Amino acid sequence: MDLNTVLDVRDARRREPWRPGDAWLGGGTYLFSEPQPRIRRLVDLSRMGWEPLTRLPDGSLEIAATCTIAQLSRYGRRLAEPAGPLFEQCCRAFLASFKIWNMATVGGNLCNALPAGPMISLASALDGTCLLRSQDGATRRVKAAGFVLGAGRKDLADGELLRSVTLPASGLACRTAFRQASLYGLGRSGVLIIGTLDPRDGSLAITITAATTRPFRLWFPLPPQPDGLRDAIRSAVADGEWFDDIHGLPEWRRHMTLRFAEEIRRELTQDGAR
């Protein structure tokens, strides 16, 4: 789609003051998918030269905001750690064509803050941390599960940039289980639940996305019993936080979340036996 309100495109390597009507341009798959009447200038990140995926000395994985879904998918297929299959599962949750995979970015998916964003699911489930950079160069870090505040809302100040997401080595070492549901064969995720079991201490985390307006990551020092898991989910997610749109009613999303969470608990713990 032509954005007929855009008057200029600026290379992000050239520092200029941020002004009203500016927007970051990564892959552009969302920006060019619908009218953006408030945007007057695009700040293009494509020439920043950020390495898409970097293993850090402590074993963690840094994913640049400009890393494409195709790059992440290829990397995940080669990843030796137990969490490796989760990368492809989340990439496949896009249900998008190869053309989208080669343009859409990890950072763009996080910054859109849509409940069904599968990169939000991946980063939250593996306890990722977002690195944010302001216009004056100052940086701050926020947990991926807390970066998305609601449907379309994120913890990002005006002109602030999502630079990368770092997944810790402890997250990559976890056994994982994945469940997804949609009302349609090729529809947007209505429910996406991920479980991770930490081999070091046997702790279990259940991450709820797509069904809710924001991610919920529930951590248990020891795997709970079915009633305990169900009660924890009901206590954590308020009635108004179950997402409601054409892709699923809140009641259905809640039901499927409780069902999938219990399936994951059983899969990862063999009904509680670590």
Side-chain angles (χ1 to χ4, degrees), residues 20 27 51 54 68 77 101 115 164 218 244 262 272:
E51 189 66 27
T54 305
T68 67
R77 281 180 248 142
W101 273 39
S164 64
L218 281 62
D244 183 5
E262 173 57 17

Side-chain angles (χ1 to χ4, degrees), residues 237-253:
V237 186
D239 289 344
E241 292 175 310
W242 295 102
F243 196 46
D244 183 5
D245 72 351
I246 193 173
H247 299 284
L249 293 172
E251 294 78 10
W252 173 75
R253 295 179 195 260

Side-chain angles (χ1 to χ4, degrees), residues 4-5 11 17 29 35 72 75 78 105 107 155 195 198 217 237 273:
N4 57 16
T5 62
D11 189 330
T29 54
L72 184 69
Y75 186 89
R78 301 192 304 267
T105 62
D155 183 8
D198 193 324
R217 188 175 189 270
V237 186

